[in-house]
Amino acid sequence: MSERLIPAALVLAFLALLLLGMWLAWRARSRRDAGVAAGQPLPADGIHPILTTDVLYVATTKAGQPLERLAIRGLAFRARGELTLAEEGVVLTVPGQDPIFLASAQLRSAQPATWTIDRVVESDGLIALAWRSDETDVDSYLRVIDPPQHSRVLSTLSTLIPAPARPAFTDSTTSTESEK
């Protein structure tokens, strides 16, 4: 009996240490990402929906770093949810969480993606929604459950993303050439 007890105790101790390490690492990540806000409050006068569809929320990562998960409140874990595209922006509703509202001004781009942390799908099966949270650029990955809706969601998102601000065009060479 004691021949089996010592190895079993060692395995249990190792598993307990492993779980403790995982918990401490997640806690440290959550503290690190505590300053990154998950969207804004919903507008007081409501939103005007354009399109609503069921999605699988996959992950939110640092912009351009699809393997660096962010532990943002409301967006830390994969879940099934509902994506609402509205004139005012995007609302992601995950059961058990407050809705995440991203105003159109926060949106930077939306493009097809194939992989992100812990998820690989068929070519362009995900949507990478790039947005700005305070001073942090992030990418959120979504998978539209109804495949025919995928391209419709992407095209609607493209209409919500503001055009980049263009600097005023000043042509200094024109004035110097005309003076010559």
Side-chain angles (χ1 to χ4, degrees):
M1 178 88 166
S2 64
E3 294 173 5
R4 292 183 179 172
L5 187 59
I6 292 173
L10 289 175
V11 168
L12 285 176
F14 174 74
L15 289 176
L17 284 174
L18 185 66
L19 288 174
L20 178 66
M22 290 169 50
W23 179 75
L24 290 172
W26 186 257
R27 206 170 132 198
R29 181 176 297 266
S30 296
R31 269 186 267 141
R32 178 197 71 185
D33 299 335
V36 180
Q40 305 172 349
L42 286 167
D45 54 343
I47 60 170
H48 300 91
I50 300 170
L51 173 67
T52 300
T53 189
D54 291 330
V55 295
L56 294 173
Y57 165 72
V58 179
T60 295
T61 66
K62 290 182 177 180
Q65 298 179 22
L67 297 177
E68 184 64 34
R69 181 186 301 276
L70 295 174
I72 302 173
R73 184 180 188 114
L75 295 176
F77 303 104
R78 256 192 328 210
R80 187 177 184 130
E82 182 179 79
L83 181 70
T84 302
L85 307 178
E87 294 172 9
E88 298 79 8
V90 175
V91 179
L92 178 63
T93 307
V94 175
Q97 301 288 335
D98 291 332
I100 306 295
F101 173 67
L102 304 173
S104 291
Q106 290 180 271
L107 304 178
R108 296 184 305 111
S109 70
Q111 58 192 13
T114 302
W115 61 275
T116 186
I117 190 160
D118 77 6
R119 179 62 60 182
V120 176
V121 297
E122 74 280 359
S123 181
D124 298 339
L126 296 173
I127 295 176
L129 179 61
W131 54 284
R132 185 154 182 85
S133 171
D134 300 330
E135 296 179 13
T136 307
D137 289 337
V138 298
D139 297 332
S140 289
Y141 293 86
L142 307 164
R143 181 170 173 87
V144 178
I145 292 176
D146 185 20
Q149 288 279 67
H150 184 85
S151 60
R152 189 166 174 220
V153 169
L154 273 172
S155 65
T156 305
L157 277 169
S158 69
T159 65
L160 298 177
I161 297 168
R166 295 185 184 113
F169 179 70
T170 57
D171 189 0
S172 60
T173 58
T174 307
S175 60
T176 50
E177 287 178 10
S178 63
E179 291 173 1
K180 292 182 180 178

